[in-house]
C-alpha cells in the first residue's frame, strides 16, 4: 500500500492555535506558482512580504503534475514567468524547458522563496478578512493567526480572500448575450464527446432502473444559455512505465463500479475517432491519449508522464465539483477525496477489469504512479486541478470580444494566447443516450492584452487588494487566460502594482498606468 497520509486538501489537525499578530507591507494569500511569483516580486521591490498558503506544498498545479505546459504563444510570456521555464531548463541542461517533472518544478519554486527570504506559513486557511471601510486591515486565519498589511494579493484558485473582502464575483457560465459572445454558456459539441450511442441507464434500455451516476436526466438548455455550472476538475498525474519506479494501481476504498460503467460501455463501443488502433507503445493515441511524456526516455526506453483527461470518459469527474468554489474547507475536503477515489478507481478499473478490451487494459496496466514523485502523498498529486471557481466582476471583464480582437485593453499587464478551453461541465440524457456538455476549444484571433482593471476590484470596492488568478473574465475567456504561465505573468504585475500603491499611499485602482507600464518594461514583461 502507498503512504498517502498527507493526501488531503484540509485536515482539522493541521490547524494550530496561535495568538500571533504579524505585520507586513504585502500579504499574499495562496501559495500557487502565481502566489510565489507575486511574493518574490514584491520582496524584490524592497517590501516586507509574508506568504500564507492553505496547504502543505507550494506551487499549485505547476508543481502538482501540470508539467505539459499550456503556453499558447511563447513569445508573449515574459518576466519572471519566462524565467521560471529558463530555470527549469538549467536543471535539464537546456536553455528552457516546458515539459518537466513535478520534483524539478518543486525545487525551482521552493528555491525562489528561499532566495527571496520571504517567510511562508503553510496550512493557513482564511477565516475572515477584517475590513476598515474599503480596505482590508488584517487577515485572521483558522487557529487565530492574524496578519496585518498595507496590500493584499489573492493568488488562490478559489478567490477566497476576494470573497471575504466583499468584492463582487460570479461563479458559472454567463449567457452569450451578456458580453456579446458566441461560445459561452451551454455548449454541446463534438470534442470529448460520445460520438456513438452509449446507454445512460443502470440496466441498458430500462428507464425504470434509473440513471448511472452523474447523468442529468433532463435535456440541455438552449445553446448559449447561462447557468451556475463549472468545468470539471481532475488531478494531473505523473505516471511511469519504469518497473523500478512504478507503483501498481490500487483499488481505492469506497470503489463503486457503477461510476465506471460508462467507461466500460464506451471502451467497448463502436469504432469512432478515439477508438483507433493503438501505436506500438500503447501510450499516446486512441482512448488513452494524453499520456504526455515529460522527460526524455531512459536508456531502457521508459518515461514519466503528465496524464490528463481525454475523450468522453476519462479523469475529469464531470459534475462532482459544483460545490467547490463556495464550499467550506471540510466540504472541499470531501470533494477532494471523492475526486481521488474516482480517479484512482478509474485507473485501477481500466487496468484490471476483464470487460475492458485487452489492448487498453494492457496499456493502462503498463503504467503506474512514480514512487519518486509526490513522495509525501504516495505518488499522487497534492493539488486538485481547480480549473475555474470564483471569478471577479470588475470595471473591465475580459471576454471573447477581447480574445477575438474586437476590443483591445489599453492598460495591459500581460498577454493571453491559449485557446478558449472549457472542459465539459455536465452529462445529460437525450433520446436515450448520454452526452457531454460544455467542452469548447476555440482559438483566439491572436495574443491579446489583459487589462490591469481585470486584476483589481471595481472602483469603490476593496482598495488594497489585487487578484491575479481569479481575474475578472467571462467563463469562456477565463478558459483561455487560466494557464499557469499567464497566472505567473499577472502575478508579477500584481506584485509590482502593490509596491507602487504602497509607495504612493494610493488605492490599487489609482495606480497610474504609465508608472506601472514603466515597471513592467523593466521587468521584461510582454504587454
Amino acid at each position: 500500500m502507498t503512504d498517502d497520509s498527507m493526501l488531503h486538501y484540509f485536515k482539522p489537525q493541521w490547524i494550530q492555535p496561535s495568538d500571533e499578530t504579524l505585520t507586513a507591507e504585502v500579504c499574499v494569500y495562496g501559495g500557487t506558482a502565481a502566489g510565489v511569483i507575486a511574493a518574490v516580486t514584491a520582496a524584490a521591490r524592497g517590501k516586507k512580504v509574508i506568504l500564507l498558503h492553505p496547504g502543505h506544498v507550494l506551487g499549485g498545479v505547476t508543481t502538482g503534475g501540470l508539467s505539459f505546459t499550456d503556453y499558447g504563444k511563447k513569445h508573449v510570456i515574459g518576466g519572471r514567468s519566462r524565467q521560471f521555464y529558463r530555470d527549469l531548463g538549467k536543471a535539464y541542461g537546456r536553455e528552457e524547458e516546458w515539459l518537466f517533472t513535478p520534483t524539478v518544478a518543486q525545487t525551482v519554486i521552493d528555491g525562489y522563496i528561499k532566495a527571496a527570504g520571504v517567510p511562508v506559513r503553510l496550512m493557513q486557511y482564511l477565516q475572515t478578512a477584517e475590513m476598515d471601510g474599503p480596505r482590508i486591515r488584517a487577515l485572521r486565519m483558522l487557529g487565530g493567526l492574524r496578519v496585518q498589511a498595507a496590500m493584499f494579493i489573492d493568488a488562490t484558485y478559489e478567490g477566497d480572500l476576494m470573497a471575504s473582502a466583499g468584492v463582487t464575483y460570479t461563479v458559472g457560465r454567463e449567457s452569450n448575450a451578456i458580453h456579446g459572445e458566441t461560445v459561452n454558456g451551454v455548449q454541446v459539441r463534438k470534442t470529448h464527446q460520445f460520438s456513438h450511442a452509449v446507454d445512460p441507464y443502470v440496466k441498458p434500455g430500462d428507464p425504470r432502473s434509473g440513471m448511472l451516476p452523474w447523468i442529468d436526466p433532463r435535456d440541455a438548455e438552449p445553446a448559449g444559455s447561462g447557468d451556475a455550472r463549472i468545468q470539471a476538475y481532475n488531478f494531473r498525474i505523473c505516471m511511469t512505465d519504469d518497473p523500478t519506479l512504478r507503483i501498481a494501481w490500487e483499488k481505492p476504498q469506497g470503489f463503486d463500479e457503477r461510476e465506471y460503467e460508462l467507461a466500460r460501455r464506451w471502451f467497448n463501443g463502436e469504432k469512432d475517432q478515439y477508438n483507433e488502433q493503438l501505436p506500438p507503445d500503447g501510450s499516446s493515441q486512441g482512448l488513452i491519449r494524453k499520456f504526455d511524456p515529460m522527460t526524455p526516455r531512459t536508456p531502457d526506453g521508459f518515461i514519466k508522464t503528465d496524464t490528463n483527461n481525454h475523450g468522453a470518459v476519462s479523469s475529469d469527474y464531470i459534475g462532482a465539483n459544483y460545490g467547490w468554489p463556495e464550499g467550506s474547507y471540510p466540504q472541499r475536503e470531501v470533494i477532494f477525496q471523492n475526486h481521488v477515489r474516482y480517479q484512482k478507481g478509474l485507473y485501477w478499473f481500466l487496468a484490471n477489469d476483464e470487460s475492458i478490451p485487452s489492448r487498453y487494459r494492457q496499456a493502462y496496466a503498463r503504467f503506474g504512479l512514480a514512487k519518486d514523485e509526490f513522495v509525501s502523498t504516495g505518488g499522487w498529486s497534492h493539488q486538485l486541478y481547480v480549473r475555474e471557481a470564483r471569478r471577479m466582476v470588475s470595471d473591465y471583464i475580459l471576454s471573447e470580444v477581447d480574445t477575438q480582437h474586437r476590443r483591445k485593453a489599453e492598460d495591459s499587464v500581460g498577454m493571453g494566447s491559449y485557446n478558449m478551453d472549457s472542459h465539459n461541465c455536465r452529462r445529460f440524457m437525450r433520446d436515450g443516450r448520454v452526452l457531454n456538455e460544455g467542452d469548447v476549444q476555440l482559438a483566439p484571433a491572436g495574443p491579446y492584452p489583459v487589462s490591469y482593471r481585470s486584476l483589481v476590484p471595481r472602483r469603490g470596492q476593496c482598495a488594497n487588494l489585487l487578484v491575479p488568478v481569479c481575474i475578472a473574465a467571462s467563463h469562456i475567456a477565463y478558459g483561455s487566460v487560466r494557464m499557469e504561465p499567464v497566472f505567473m505573468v499577472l502575478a508579477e504585475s500584481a506584485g509590482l502594482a502593490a509596491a507602487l500603491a504602497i509607495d504612493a499611499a494610493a488605492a490599487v485602482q489609482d495606480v497610474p498606468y504609465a508608472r506601472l507600464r514603466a515597471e513592467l518594461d523593466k521587468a521584461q514583461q510582454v504587454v
Side-chain angles (χ1 to χ4, degrees):
M1 297 291 290
T2 59
D3 177 13
D4 56 3
S5 58
M6 292 296 287
L7 185 52
H8 296 272
Y9 166 77
F10 171 80
K11 292 185 74 173
Q13 304 92 290
W14 291 350
I15 307 303
Q16 299 299 314
S18 173
D19 59 1
E20 285 183 281
T21 293
L22 305 177
T23 301
E25 291 174 286
V26 178
C27 175
V28 179
Y29 181 60
T32 58
V36 169
I37 294 298
V40 300
T41 297
R45 286 295 306 268
K47 304 307 175 189
K48 183 180 179 182
V49 182
I50 187 167
L51 175 59
L52 306 174
H53 180 48
H56 57 92
V57 181
L58 295 177
V61 291
T62 291
T63 61
L66 201 169
S67 302
F68 187 82
T69 307
D70 300 313
Y71 50 74
K73 304 298 184 183
K74 291 180 183 178
H75 71 273
V76 296
I77 301 169
R80 292 180 185 273
S81 181
R82 190 58 173 263
Q83 187 60 48
F84 172 71
Y85 297 99
R86 290 172 179 153
D87 290 338
L88 288 171
K90 293 176 185 176
Y92 290 98
R94 294 189 279 276
E95 183 178 351
E96 293 183 342
E97 187 52 74
W98 303 78
L99 313 174
F100 49 86
T101 62
T103 297
V104 173
Q106 193 70 62
T107 299
V108 174
I109 286 288
D110 290 345
Y112 287 165
I113 287 294
K114 182 177 180 180
V118 173
V120 176
R121 295 294 183 98
L122 299 174
M123 304 186 213
Q124 294 296 330
Y125 293 79
L126 179 66
Q127 178 173 310
T128 187
E130 299 177 6
M131 303 299 295
D132 183 6
R135 301 183 73 87
I136 303 170
R137 180 174 58 246
L139 305 185
R140 187 173 294 278
M141 318 308 291
L142 295 182
L145 176 67
R146 187 169 178 271
V147 179
Q148 297 175 323
M151 287 287 151
F152 295 84
I153 297 174
D154 184 345
T156 64
Y157 294 122
E158 295 83 9
D160 287 342
L161 173 52
M162 170 183 75
S164 186
V167 172
T168 303
Y169 64 86
T170 189
V171 175
R173 303 182 287 185
E174 300 90 346
S175 72
N176 276 328
I178 290 179
H179 298 299
E181 298 176 300
T182 64
V183 292
N184 208 335
V186 173
Q187 299 287 330
V188 183
R189 291 170 171 255
K190 294 181 180 180
T191 49
H192 302 287
Q193 184 60 271
F194 294 90
S195 54
H196 59 272
V198 173
D199 192 292
Y201 300 116
V202 174
K203 294 181 179 179
D206 183 3
R208 294 172 298 178
S209 66
M211 291 284 182
L212 291 171
W214 304 105
I215 300 175
D216 189 336
R218 301 165 297 179
D219 201 344
E221 296 85 355
S225 302
D227 61 23
R229 297 181 179 94
I230 56 176
Q231 57 180 309
Y233 300 168
N234 71 339
F235 290 91
R236 301 288 285 256
I237 298 302
C238 184
M239 297 181 181
T240 186
D241 60 351
D242 185 341
T244 66
L245 295 176
R246 184 180 65 230
I247 302 171
W249 304 120
E250 297 174 350
K251 188 176 183 179
Q253 186 174 3
F255 177 88
D256 183 350
E257 190 169 329
R258 294 174 302 172
E259 295 212 277
Y260 311 104
E261 180 61 26
L262 284 179
R264 175 185 282 130
R265 295 176 188 180
W266 186 50
F267 273 69
N268 284 283
E270 299 173 6
K271 183 177 176 63
D272 65 21
Q273 62 177 316
Y274 297 117
N275 198 1
E276 66 261 18
Q277 180 65 45
L278 289 176
D281 69 357
S283 64
S284 63
Q285 293 185 13
L287 290 172
I288 63 165
R289 287 179 182 171
K290 298 306 293 177
F291 281 49
D292 294 313
M294 290 301 99
T295 57
R297 291 184 180 272
T298 68
D300 294 324
F302 300 119
I303 61 171
K304 288 182 179 177
T305 75
D306 168 358
T307 302
N308 193 16
N309 180 82
H310 181 82
V313 183
S314 187
S315 58
D316 278 0
Y317 199 11
I318 300 172
N321 62 338
Y322 296 159
W324 184 275
E326 302 200 79
S328 66
Y329 303 128
Q331 288 169 337
R332 288 179 183 168
E333 169 66 11
V334 171
I335 295 170
F336 182 98
Q337 294 302 333
N338 286 343
H339 278 72
V340 172
R341 186 203 70 249
Y342 166 76
Q343 200 166 336
K344 282 187 174 182
L346 175 71
Y347 297 143
W348 180 88
F349 179 81
L350 295 178
N352 290 279
D353 193 275
E354 291 293 328
S355 69
I356 299 299
S358 61
R359 60 190 180 127
Y360 299 126
R361 188 164 14 100
Q362 292 167 7
Y364 270 93
R366 242 186 65 205
F367 285 88
L369 300 178
K371 67 181 181 182
D372 60 341
E373 303 285 347
F374 306 123
V375 174
S376 68
T377 49
W380 196 265
S381 172
H382 54 80
Q383 176 67 58
L384 182 63
Y385 191 5
V386 178
R387 290 187 171 92
E388 176 184 17
R390 298 182 180 97
R391 304 188 310 280
M392 185 164 59
V393 176
S394 75
D395 290 331
Y396 194 108
I397 299 175
L398 182 78
S399 75
E400 180 186 329
V401 175
D402 296 271
T403 70
Q404 299 304 310
H405 293 184
R406 299 197 299 272
R407 177 177 65 166
K408 181 180 179 180
E410 300 300 327
D411 54 348
S412 173
V413 289
M415 304 285 285
S417 64
Y418 197 76
N419 290 346
M420 286 184 285
D421 174 9
S422 173
H423 283 230
N424 279 305
C425 300
R426 67 165 159 179
R427 290 194 170 108
F428 70 98
M429 186 191 73
R430 174 181 290 171
D431 299 328
R433 62 179 290 182
V434 61
L435 292 171
N436 291 334
E437 183 271 302
D439 188 274
V440 176
Q441 309 290 326
L442 180 64
Y448 56 87
V450 179
S451 170
Y452 175 65
R453 288 164 287 167
S454 294
L455 273 62
V456 299
R458 284 173 169 168
R459 187 171 294 278
Q461 294 193 349
C462 192
N464 62 338
L465 174 67
L466 295 112
V467 184
V469 175
C470 294
I471 73 167
S474 71
H475 156 75
I476 199 59
Y478 194 78
S480 170
V481 80
R482 66 175 177 83
M483 304 304 153
E484 291 290 289
V486 181
F487 283 158
M488 287 189 274
V489 165
L490 300 181
E492 181 174 12
S493 298
L496 293 171
L500 288 174
I502 290 171
D503 292 344
V508 292
Q509 295 85 356
D510 294 327
V511 171
Y513 179 68
R515 291 186 62 190
L516 178 56
R517 176 61 185 269
E519 294 297 323
L520 296 173
D521 290 342
K522 289 179 186 177
Q524 297 185 320
Q525 289 278 47
V526 180
V527 297

